Amino acid sequence: MEINILHLYYDILNLYGEYGNVVIMKKHLEDQGFKVNLDKKTVGEEIDFNKYHFIYMGCGTEKNLDFVLEDLKKYTKEINSVIENKRVFLATGNSFEMLGKTIDNNEALGIFDFKVKREKDRETSDVIYKSK
C-alpha cells in the first residue's frame, strides 16, 4: 500500500522541530512495509490536498501563524473537503487555532466552531476536541 503524506508549512511552522515527528512516522510506516511519499509545501506553492492521506501542520510563533493563515485561506474549501472525506489532518500545538472561526476577532478558516483569544499569560495543557 502507498501512503501520501504532506508536511504543510514545514519551514515556517516548525517551532519545536516538528519535522522530526513526520520523519519518524514515515520511517515506522516504511518499517511496516508501506511505500511512503512525503511532500513538503510552503507559502505560495500550489497544493492538491486531495492527493494526500495524511496532512501534518506543526506549531509556530503567533507572527508565523498569522502569515501562514493568509496563505491557507485560499484552501479553506479543500481542507474542509479533506476532513469531511475522513482524511487525516493533524494540526499540532497552536496551529489548530487557524481551523476555528476567529483568532482575536480576526477571521480564521472557520472549519470548526470555536474562537481563539490570545493572552499574554500562557497556560500549557492538552486540549481534546470532539466533533460530530
Side-chain angles (χ1 to χ4, degrees), residues 1-3 7 12-13 19 24 28-29 31 49 53 56 65 67 87 99 105-106 120 125 131-132:
M1 179 178 192
E2 194 167 329
I3 297 176
H7 189 173
I12 300 170
L13 300 182
Y19 67 90
I24 290 297
H28 282 296
L29 287 167
D31 288 348
F49 283 90
H53 302 101
Y56 181 89
L65 283 175
F67 176 67
R87 298 288 177 122
L99 302 174
N105 296 320
N106 297 314
K120 286 185 180 184
S125 64
S131 69
K132 296 177 188 172

Side-chain angles (χ1 to χ4, degrees), residues 65-74 76-77 97-112 114-116 118:
L65 283 175
D66 295 341
F67 176 67
V68 163
L69 178 58
E70 291 310 308
D71 187 67
L72 203 55
K73 283 180 180 177
K74 66 185 172 196
T76 301
K77 186 186 247 183
E97 293 178 358
M98 296 184 287
L99 302 174
K101 289 189 178 286
T102 61
I103 301 172
D104 289 338
N105 296 320
N106 297 314
E107 181 185 347
L109 298 179
I111 293 171
F112 296 109
F114 67 86
K115 298 177 180 179
V116 173
R118 293 177 177 159

Side-chain angles (χ1 to χ4, degrees), residues 14-123:
N14 191 33
L15 192 59
Y16 299 112
E18 272 76 13
Y19 67 90
N21 294 330
V22 176
V23 169
I24 290 297
M25 181 175 60
K26 179 179 185 288
K27 179 178 180 348
H28 282 296
L29 287 167
E30 288 172 339
D31 288 348
Q32 295 175 55
F34 293 96
K35 180 177 190 285
V36 180
N37 302 306
L38 174 59
D39 289 343
K40 298 184 279 187
K41 299 286 185 176
T42 193
V43 171
E45 295 181 340
E46 287 300 313
I47 304 167
D48 177 5
F49 283 90
N50 292 310
K51 172 180 168 181
Y52 301 100
H53 302 101
F54 186 95
I55 299 162
Y56 181 89
M57 186 168 60
C59 61
T61 64
E62 290 173 355
K63 181 180 175 183
N64 284 353
L65 283 175
D66 295 341
F67 176 67
V68 163
L69 178 58
E70 291 310 308
D71 187 67
L72 203 55
K73 283 180 180 177
K74 66 185 172 196
Y75 295 111
T76 301
K77 186 186 247 183
E78 290 87 348
I79 293 169
N80 201 31
S81 175
V82 163
I83 293 169
E84 285 179 356
N85 288 313
K86 311 242 186 286
R87 298 288 177 122
V88 178
F89 192 110
L90 178 60
T92 62
N94 58 355
S95 65
F96 80 94
E97 293 178 358
M98 296 184 287
L99 302 174
K101 289 189 178 286
T102 61
I103 301 172
D104 289 338
N105 296 320
N106 297 314
E107 181 185 347
L109 298 179
I111 293 171
F112 296 109
D113 188 20
F114 67 86
K115 298 177 180 179
V116 173
K117 179 160 177 30
R118 293 177 177 159
E119 302 283 342
K120 286 185 180 184
D121 295 329
R122 303 282 177 170
E123 185 175 321

